[in-house]
């Protein structure tokens, strides 16, 4: 009987809750984007062993992150889609980039290996608009004079769940092809006129792999770790580039951050001969005048530590750390804008 | 046997108190359900108000779903929800009926228990497993073997041919129907089996005694006797199919379009919400997704109400025929 004493059990449960509450009180709380979640949690682990301060990050999506920071339930919000300067000012928020990643087109065409096919933004946009329907279309063939392309029908695969990947990809297609901009546009979810929607990177990767003639797009880390047949892209300087850490960093470095208020910069189609055209940063949102200054200071310490020590860990996970110049700018922003 | 000793007054008072507390506790539990349901209804109404007041009735009749221009219409998800659920029932009812009849009337005793347990286990598989299985295992099989055949053989036919045209993607409305059917079968067949078991043996034995075959006993005694319960089981399955989210999201193709073909990608209400809610920014967008939830609530409510109504009429007819 005694072992199941309900009073005692209730007491134990209550004290467990109280203890957990006390333990997490000193932790940094954040919520938002799913794309940087693996690297944030890796940083958090290392940071906790060094300093004892943990990070409670809920990867509920960028939209959720923006809502949570506006509701002041978390110390920082994270978003893959930067907020406009006027929205930032309205909400009293400061925004800065934390980590860089990229999106890679993957193809499944018989006889074509990874890195053999070359595409450009206008062609990919025309495929996703349903204008180009066969792989041996003159516009694809012209970019790949050496490849013997089959007459297979193209099956465009898109990501059905709202995501930063969708935003970057549709933003890239919009800037490369005016008709895509006018009929579809850029967002975390858009209304695709053709194709099939698969859920998450794994869904897109799998649909592309099992459908003959498919084209899809996934996060770079995902494409690399699963050795998917990616396509090279022609960037805005007219050069053919392969997706890798150098080409992402080149895009981030050639961007004009100093003249972008609120760091509102989307790294698609950046100038520079080495820049990968579908690159993007993931952003952090903090209050200019924080409701809890101590918590925000703790969070800033963590971000500062991550800038300083997180590069290697990020690279291990196939993310790209910010270029040194940009980190300097962000630190200056912290000093000037966060009270 | 001694006489029952009288209860001490203090003990009687304690018992009365216990009765009262017990009654109060059960009443509170029942009330909680109503409160929760009311809370859901109210928050759905409040949350979906901006979408309904902005788009008015057009929200129900338009196929567009464009987060870029902030224009939303629920026709494609409503269509997809109803079509996949009906498809699932169409596939699941005959199979479930077969399972239930086999298990109650025909199976040798040693086989009843393992098959019955297997079906119950199938009901306990989480829906995400069905989704991943659908995407990785079922979809390639459908794409390579089943759909090309459908397109070739049924595609050119008049009338129903339209349902089987287009490229074989492997995922789409038909695949979602398949996966849903598999998920619904355990529920429907378990209920049907339980109902068939309640048929009094004396009725069946009278049938056999009059020289009826097994076929005749099943269709003229067992099935008519359990009609009410069978409909209940089917409605339970329909309820599950209407609201199923994860498994459908993986295999339906998630396109806000209404295709004439069953092989084309589509979307359902719950799949749209699961896909887009996390990243939805903007009041109208969020509100439109909540409005989808409200519509699903209404559809489910209508289905349950219709089922109740049907059962009531059946009961009345059964009574009047006695």
């Amino acid at each position: 009987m005694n072992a199941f004493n309900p009073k005692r059990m209730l007491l134990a449960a209550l004290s467990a809750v109280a203890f957990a509450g006390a333990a997490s009180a000193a932790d940094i709380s954040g919520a938002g984007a799913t794309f940087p979640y693996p690297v944030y949690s890796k940083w958090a682990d290392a940071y906790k062993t060094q300093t004892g301060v943990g990070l409670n990050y809920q990867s509920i999506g960028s939209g959720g992150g923006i809502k949570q920071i506006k509701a002041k339930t978390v110390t920082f919000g994270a978003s893959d889609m930067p907020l406009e300067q006027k929205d930032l000012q309205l909400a009293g928020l400061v925004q800065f980039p934390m980590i860089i990643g990229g999106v890679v087109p993957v193809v499944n065409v018989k006889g074509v290996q990874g890195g053999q096919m070359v595409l450009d933004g206008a062609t990919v946009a025309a495929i996703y608009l349903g204008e180009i329907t066969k792989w041996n279309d003159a516009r694809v063939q012209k970019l790949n004079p050496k490849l013997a392309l089959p007459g297979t029908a193209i099956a465009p695969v898109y990501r059905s769940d709202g995501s930063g990947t969708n935003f970057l990809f549709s933003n890239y297609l919009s800037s490369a092809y005016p008709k895509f901009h006018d009929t579809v546009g850029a967002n975390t979810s858009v209304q695709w006129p053709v194709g099939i929607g698969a859920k998450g990177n794994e869904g897109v990767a799998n649909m592309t792999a099992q459908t003959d003639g498919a084209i899809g797009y996934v996060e770079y880390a995902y494409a690399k770790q699963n050795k998917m047949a990616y396509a090279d892209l022609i960037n805005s300087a007219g050069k053919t580039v392969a997706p890798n850490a150098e080409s992402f960093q080149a895009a981030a470095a050639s961007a004009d951050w100093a003249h972008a208020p609120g760091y509102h910069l989307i790294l698609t189609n950046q100038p520079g001969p080495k820049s990968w055209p579908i690159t993007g940063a993931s952003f952090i949102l903090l209050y200019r005048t924080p409701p809890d200054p101590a918590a925000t200071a703790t969070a800033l310490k963590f971000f500062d530590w991550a800038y300083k020590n997180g590069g290697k860990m990020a690279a291990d996970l196939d993310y790209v750390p910010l270029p040194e110049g940009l980190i300097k700018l962000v630190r200056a922003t912290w000093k000037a804008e966060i009270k | 046997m001694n006489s029952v000793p009288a209860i001490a007054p203090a003990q009687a008072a304690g018992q009365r108190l216990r009765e009262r507390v017990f009654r109060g506790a059960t009443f509170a539990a029942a009330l909680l359900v109503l409160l929760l349901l009311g809370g859901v209804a109210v928050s759905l109404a409040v949350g979906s108000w901006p979408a309904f007041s902005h788009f008015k009735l057009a929200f129900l009749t338009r196929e567009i779903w464009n987060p870029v221009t902030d224009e939303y219409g629920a026709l494609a998800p409503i269509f997809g929800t109803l079509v996949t659920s009906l498809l699932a029932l169409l596939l699941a009812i005959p199979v479930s009926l077969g399972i239930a009849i086999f298990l109650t009337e025909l199976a040798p005793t040693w086989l009843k228990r393992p098959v019955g347990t297997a079906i119950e286990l199938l009901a306990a598989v989480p829906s995400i497993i069905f989704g991943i299985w659908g995407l990785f295992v079922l979809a390639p099989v459908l794409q390579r073997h089943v759909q090309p055949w459908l397109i070739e053989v049924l595609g050119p036919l008049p009338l129903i041919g339209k349902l089987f045209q287009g490229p074989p993607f492997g995922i789409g409305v038909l695949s979602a129907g398949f996966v849903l059917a598999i998920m619904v079968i355990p529920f429907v067949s378990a209920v049907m089996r339980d109902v068939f078991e309640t048929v009094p043996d004396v009725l069946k034995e009278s049938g056999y005694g009059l020289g009826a075959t097994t076929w005749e006993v099943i269709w003229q005694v067992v099935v008519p006797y359990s009609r009410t319960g069978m409909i209940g089981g089917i409605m339970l399955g329909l309820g599950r199919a209407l609201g199923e989210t994860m498994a459908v999201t993986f295999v339906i193709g998630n396109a806000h379009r209404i295709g004439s073909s069953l092989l084309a990608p589509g979307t359902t209400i719950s799949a749209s919400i699961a896909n887009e809610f996390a990243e939805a920014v903007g009041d109208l967008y969020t509100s439109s997704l909540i409005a989808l939830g409200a519509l699903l609530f209404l559809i489910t409510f209508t289905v349950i109400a219709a089922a109740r109504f049907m059962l009531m009429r059946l009961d009345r007819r059964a009574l009047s025929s006695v």
Side-chain angles (χ1 to χ4, degrees):
Chain A
M1 269 308 264
N2 260 340
F4 289 103
N5 185 334
K7 264 187 206 151
R8 188 175 296 174
M9 276 171 68
L10 186 67
L11 205 67
L14 278 178
S15 61
V17 169
F19 181 72
S24 63
D27 286 354
I28 306 159
S29 70
T34 45
F35 160 68
Y37 173 65
V39 67
Y40 289 177
S41 58
K42 190 164 183 181
W43 285 343
D45 270 357
Y47 191 65
K48 176 134 198 179
T49 48
Q50 275 189 22
T51 62
V53 178
L55 169 69
N56 175 13
Y57 182 73
Q58 295 161 29
S59 58
I60 53 174
S62 302
I66 295 168
K67 274 177 214 137
Q68 294 291 321
I69 183 78
K70 282 187 176 163
K72 301 190 179 170
T73 52
V74 288
T75 307
F76 73 89
S79 171
D80 288 333
M81 192 159 79
L83 290 186
E84 303 268 4
Q85 177 70 359
K86 63 172 187 341
D87 293 334
L88 290 172
Q89 268 166 354
L90 207 67
L93 292 169
V94 180
Q95 172 174 264
F96 55 89
M98 197 65 217
I99 190 80
I100 290 164
V103 177
V104 175
V106 288
V107 295
N108 178 0
V109 184
K110 275 218 176 70
V112 177
Q113 310 288 319
Q116 283 186 338
M117 186 177 277
V118 178
L119 293 168
D120 64 9
T123 312
V124 177
I127 288 174
Y128 274 91
L129 284 177
E131 288 176 9
I132 298 179
T133 56
K134 298 255 187 274
W135 279 110
N136 60 1
D137 188 281
R139 287 152 87 179
V140 185
Q141 192 71 66
K142 202 176 135 213
L143 296 169
N144 299 281
K146 283 182 195 157
L147 285 180
L149 291 168
T152 334
I154 303 181
V157 180
Y158 56 84
R159 219 172 124 169
S160 61
D161 48 329
S163 62
T165 310
N166 270 345
F167 172 69
L168 283 183
F169 190 69
S170 56
N171 179 282
Y172 167 63
L173 298 186
S174 294
S175 68
Y177 200 60
K179 198 178 158 201
F180 191 91
H181 176 269
D182 297 340
T183 56
V184 179
N187 204 326
T188 50
S189 315
V190 298
Q191 188 166 34
W192 301 97
V194 292
I196 29 180
K199 189 166 160 42
N201 279 307
E202 67 285 358
V204 173
N206 185 60
M207 254 336 270
T208 311
Q210 75 190 28
T211 310
D212 187 29
I215 181 169
Y217 54 93
V218 293
E219 278 160 22
Y220 166 64
Y222 200 85
K224 191 180 168 197
Q225 283 153 19
N226 292 286
K227 301 192 175 57
M228 302 193 62
Y230 61 88
D232 288 351
L233 286 172
I234 296 174
N235 64 16
S236 62
K239 295 277 191 290
T240 302
V241 281
N244 53 42
E246 291 78 57
S247 60
F248 293 136
Q249 202 140 27
S254 61
D256 187 12
W257 292 101
H259 296 98
Y263 297 96
H264 184 278
L265 206 57
I266 296 143
L267 301 175
T268 54
N269 269 332
Q270 286 300 312
K274 285 187 182 150
S275 301
W276 178 254
I278 330 179
T279 307
S282 198
F283 296 86
I284 299 286
L285 297 163
L286 284 170
Y287 273 104
R288 204 170 282 272
T289 331
D292 180 357
T296 301
T298 320
L300 276 177
K301 250 187 227 154
F302 168 69
F303 295 134
D304 188 58
W305 174 91
Y307 278 150
K308 212 179 287 165
N309 310 299
K312 171 83 175 52
M313 281 177 264
D316 285 346
L317 292 173
D318 293 307
Y319 291 85
V320 180
L322 301 192
E324 211 42 57
L326 180 54
I327 293 180
K328 253 185 218 146
L329 280 177
V330 172
R331 287 204 171 108
T333 304
W334 291 348
K335 210 169 248 165
E337 294 191 18
I338 297 176
K339 298 291 174 294
Chain B
M1 284 291 283
N2 294 328
S3 63
V4 180
I7 299 172
Q11 201 183 348
Q15 276 181 349
R16 268 201 299 279
L17 181 70
R18 206 190 304 155
E19 288 293 307
R20 211 172 301 145
V21 168
F22 185 65
R23 184 188 297 254
T26 50
F27 179 67
L31 202 63
L32 185 70
V33 174
L34 286 182
L35 278 178
L36 281 176
L37 196 68
V40 169
V42 168
S43 41
L44 281 177
V46 171
S48 61
W49 178 245
F52 281 125
S53 63
H54 186 270
F55 295 114
K56 312 244 161 42
L57 267 183
F59 187 73
L60 299 176
T61 56
R62 291 203 307 170
E63 197 185 327
I64 189 171
W65 189 269
N66 193 335
V68 180
T69 55
D70 243 7
E71 284 179 273
Y72 308 98
L75 194 60
I78 294 175
F79 175 83
T81 305
L82 295 179
V83 170
T84 49
S85 301
L86 291 181
L87 211 56
L89 284 190
L90 215 62
L91 295 167
I93 290 175
V95 179
S96 308
L97 200 57
I99 294 174
I101 290 174
F102 179 75
L103 285 183
T104 50
E105 307 298 328
L106 304 171
T109 324
W110 60 269
L111 196 61
K112 274 186 189 174
R113 195 176 279 263
V115 176
T117 313
I119 290 163
E120 276 154 24
L121 275 179
L122 206 58
V125 175
S127 63
I128 182 101
I129 305 290
F130 280 109
I132 292 173
W133 172 82
L135 177 65
F136 285 93
V137 182
L138 182 68
V141 172
L142 288 176
Q143 185 180 22
R144 280 186 211 124
H145 306 295
V146 180
Q147 293 186 347
W149 182 83
L150 288 175
I151 293 165
E152 211 172 291
V153 178
L154 300 178
L157 295 178
L159 290 175
I160 62 157
K162 263 207 158 59
L163 296 175
F164 301 101
Q165 284 167 359
F169 282 132
I171 62 179
V173 174
L174 184 70
S175 315
F178 260 117
V179 172
L180 279 179
I182 294 168
M183 299 178 70
V184 161
I185 282 172
F187 290 86
V188 181
S189 58
V191 173
M192 282 187 181
R193 184 193 58 183
D194 292 349
V195 178
F196 289 168
E197 266 168 4
T198 62
V199 178
D201 283 338
V202 63
L203 282 186
K204 287 189 270 184
E205 279 155 13
S206 334
Y208 286 119
L210 289 171
T213 59
T214 313
W215 173 268
E216 283 164 345
V217 167
I218 288 168
W219 292 106
Q220 285 167 26
V221 177
V222 176
V223 170
Y225 185 88
S226 10
R227 196 180 285 144
T228 321
M230 281 166 64
I231 292 176
I234 291 169
M235 287 302 155
L236 187 71
L238 182 59
R240 167 131 210 215
L242 285 171
E244 179 46 46
T245 310
M246 238 36 223
V248 173
T249 311
F250 272 93
V251 293
I252 197 166
N254 303 299
H256 281 276
R257 296 191 290 269
I258 297 177
S260 63
S261 169
L262 289 180
L263 309 182
T267 189
T268 68
I269 291 176
S270 48
S272 303
I273 298 174
N275 271 320
E276 295 173 36
F277 199 80
E279 295 283 338
V281 184
D283 294 338
L284 205 53
Y285 193 4
T286 338
S287 169
S288 298
L289 287 168
I290 296 173
L292 281 184
L295 287 175
L296 183 60
F297 193 71
L298 271 180
I299 291 174
T300 319
F301 184 79
T302 314
V303 164
I304 293 172
R308 290 258 152 202
F309 184 68
M310 225 150 70
L311 293 179
M312 250 165 58
R313 280 189 41 184
L314 276 177
D315 280 351
R316 209 172 298 151
R317 204 183 308 155
L319 277 181
S320 60
S321 71
V322 166

